[in-house]
Amino acid sequence: MSRTHHVIVGGSIAGVSAAMAMRQSGFDGAVTVVDAEPLLPYEKPPLSKEADPEQAVRPILPEEHYREHGIDLVIGLRVHRLDDEHRRVVLAGGGELAADRVLLTTGVSARRLGTPGEELDHIHTLRTAADARRIFAGLHRGGPLVVVGGGFIGLEAAAVARTMDIDVTIVEAMELPLLGPLGPAVAGLMTRLHQGNGVRVISGQTVERYAGHGVVEEVVLTDGQRLPAATVVVGVGVVPNDQLAAATGATVHGGVVVDEYGRTDHPWLWAAGDVASQIHSRTGVRERIEHWDVAMRHGAAVGASMVGQPTINDAAPYFWSDQYGKSLQMFGRVRGTDHVVVREGAAPERFVAFWLREGRLAAVAGLDEPKAVRSAKTILDTNAVVAPEVLTDPSTDLRALARRLARPAAAPAQSLPVKT
Ligand SMILES: Cc1cc2nc3c(=O)[nH]c(=O)nc-3n(C[C@H](O)[C@H](O)[C@H](O)COP(=O)(O)OP(=O)(O)OC[C@H]3O[C@@H](n4cnc5c(N)ncnc54)[C@H](O)[C@@H]3O)c2cc1C
């Protein structure tokens, strides 16, 4: 009888965590991770935080780790199709892998808007090591840089460019960069951080077209402004890589729809990480969450579940972003209806923001306030009712409050070290 074989499509943090979790759960069948990129699986977050692209490409695990754990890596080959009738994973070029179960951890791709002139050189999105190389090689030749879309990745690239003394303009369609993920109060603080570091922020505008001869030279906005540009980074959202699942008939709705264990409604297929539309146990809301830590924990939980150890990731969603040598850390998910209060930090620009829902802490974010954020995360985990004025009162010792409110909590699913 042949050995059971699980194939993981997508060798990034969710896929690698799943493979490791399968082994840690005692699975002794074959495990293969396939990734389209020709690199050992690497960390994505440094790509937008490092001026030197070589420094930015850091393997998730050393190569020997895969060998030692009996995990086969197939890198540089795209999965072309899932042949669910014959239970085979079909690779570009025609190779096939027989699979007893398939886990999709294919992540997301950068959205393109189809703006006229988008095909000019030096207009980039930022998702891969190759993108980072192209962008930062361009920035080393000089500016100006125009960032289109004020999301985290674009803002991080803007911050790196400022450390290189490059002239930077951010163009954001809404009233403020980061308005969606953070809401107006905290988005305003982050915007001021950029402005204080010399970034020009143009809000309420979109790009009408890019102009240039072969390479981009100008970004033309809808109000007629023309911004000189040597490099453009476009960060206007992502689309889930859910086509493989959709072609099998599995339900896809803004991502691959999974249950709490990562199962799709196709008996052969599972999904985890950024591509998965999941109901996170903490939020009760179906959504895709694009956080490194969540993808790692979700991948680990789904990997264990696939090999007979049903596991749910119940850790509070965690995200971080590094800008101008400062780290924004955030636990929980924000809703537009949350009541947000802000506590000043120990130094200018530093802050801790609390989002309250029905009197309970639903999310916390802090800029360069790691201890306060950790304490607030403990408070969040307790689900206790807490008064906003207690949280914002500078004389409140958040650590002591957290200790008082804390009760024992179940250990979260985890298989790799977490950056906090
Ligand atoms: C530049 C950048 C900076 C970021 N910074 C932060 C941060 O500071 N903090 C944070 O919390 N999160 C950050 N994120 C988000 C975080 O990296 C993602 O949440 C995480 O990488 C998701 O992991 P994943 O394994 O689900 O998918 P991905 O990392 O997107 O990986 C999907 C993989 O699937 C492969 N693939 C897709 N289709 C196929 C196919 N058909 N065949 C074979 N392979 C395929 C791709 O090549 C890719 O390697 C950042 C992301 C980027 C791009």
Side-chain angles (χ1 to χ4, degrees):
M1 239 180 76
S2 65
R3 239 175 133 203
T4 305
H5 184 196
H6 293 340
V7 175
I8 300 173
V9 186
S12 181
I13 187 63
V16 168
S17 300
M20 288 304 301
M22 287 179 186
R23 287 293 178 241
Q24 282 160 7
S25 304
F27 178 64
D28 62 0
V31 178
T32 303
V33 178
V34 187
D35 198 282
E37 284 201 60
L39 295 173
L40 199 60
Y42 61 89
E43 298 181 5
K44 299 263 159 67
L47 298 180
S48 47
K49 299 172 179 65
E50 293 276 351
D52 177 353
E54 300 317 314
Q55 293 289 323
V57 184
R58 302 178 196 151
I60 294 172
L61 292 170
E63 194 165 6
E64 56 273 20
H65 209 89
Y66 298 96
R67 264 199 309 278
E68 283 162 14
H69 290 83
I71 296 165
D72 291 329
L73 281 183
V74 176
I75 51 179
L77 267 184
R78 177 166 291 280
V79 170
H80 170 62
R81 187 168 66 86
L82 298 175
D83 176 357
D84 62 327
E85 195 187 333
H86 301 100
R87 299 291 197 251
R88 282 174 186 279
V89 173
V90 183
L91 306 174
E96 290 186 344
L97 297 166
D100 294 281
R101 284 184 173 172
V102 173
L103 172 61
L104 292 170
T105 51
T106 43
V108 295
S109 296
R111 186 191 301 279
R112 286 280 192 168
L113 295 178
T115 310
E118 211 173 59
E119 70 291 345
L120 289 168
D121 269 357
H122 302 173
I123 300 177
H124 310 281
T125 54
L126 178 45
R127 288 271 350 143
T128 65
D131 296 335
R133 275 196 199 102
R134 283 191 286 267
I135 289 168
F136 291 103
L139 293 181
H140 283 291
R141 288 192 297 269
L145 166 69
V146 176
V147 174
V148 178
F152 281 108
I153 292 175
L155 262 52
E156 288 183 343
V160 174
R162 286 303 299 142
T163 65
M164 300 162 78
D165 215 19
I166 284 171
D167 179 83
V168 180
T169 304
I170 296 171
V171 179
E172 165 57 46
M174 298 176 86
E175 303 93 272
L176 285 172
L178 300 179
L179 190 61
L182 297 180
V186 183
L189 294 172
M190 294 304 290
T191 302
R192 279 202 282 287
L193 176 68
H194 280 268
Q195 289 166 328
N197 281 280
V199 172
R200 182 175 171 213
V201 178
I202 300 177
S203 301
Q205 284 296 316
T206 53
V207 177
E208 175 139 312
R209 64 189 174 88
Y210 300 101
H213 298 89
V215 299
V216 68
E217 290 162 24
E218 276 184 334
V219 179
V220 184
L221 304 185
T222 33
D223 69 353
Q225 284 187 77
R226 304 175 82 94
L227 309 174
T231 302
V232 174
V233 173
V234 182
V236 291
V238 295
V239 285
N241 296 324
D242 54 14
Q243 303 83 350
L244 291 171
T248 67
T251 300
V252 158
H253 187 73
V256 183
V257 173
V258 295
D259 70 6
E260 66 269 43
Y261 298 106
R263 286 180 298 219
T264 71
D265 56 3
H266 188 300
W268 190 43
L269 286 186
W270 303 59
D274 277 16
V275 76
S277 166
Q278 52 169 314
I279 299 180
H280 196 287
S281 62
R282 288 299 188 102
T283 62
V285 174
R286 179 168 288 289
E287 59 183 342
R288 289 187 315 93
I289 303 181
E290 295 160 25
H291 297 356
W292 182 262
D293 184 63
V294 175
M296 178 187 78
R297 292 176 190 274
H298 193 223
V302 175
S305 300
M306 282 177 74
V307 297
Q309 306 269 333
T311 308
I312 292 175
N313 167 31
D314 62 359
Y318 171 71
F319 176 83
W320 81 97
S321 174
D322 298 337
Q323 299 173 29
Y324 305 105
K326 296 183 164 48
S327 192
L328 179 80
Q329 295 175 295
M330 181 161 189
F331 284 96
R333 302 284 286 170
V334 170
R335 286 189 204 156
T337 48
D338 292 341
H339 175 49
V340 59
V341 289
V342 179
R343 173 177 167 138
E344 277 184 19
E349 293 175 340
R350 287 166 58 174
F351 64 84
V352 189
F354 306 91
W355 285 263
L356 290 127
R357 202 173 301 154
E358 291 165 13
R360 295 176 167 80
L361 198 53
V364 57
L367 188 67
D368 259 6
E369 291 285 350
K371 287 187 182 151
V373 170
R374 279 225 77 81
S375 297
K377 192 258 180 188
T378 307
I379 298 171
L380 188 152
D381 282 344
T382 66
N383 203 28
V385 171
V386 50
E389 57 277 13
V390 171
L391 295 170
T392 52
D393 182 345
S395 69
T396 301
D397 179 342
L398 289 173
R399 190 157 171 246
L401 177 65
R403 279 205 184 132
R404 215 166 53 241
L405 296 172
R407 56 182 160 76
Q414 184 185 342
S415 70
L416 293 171
V418 191
K419 181 184 185 243
T420 51

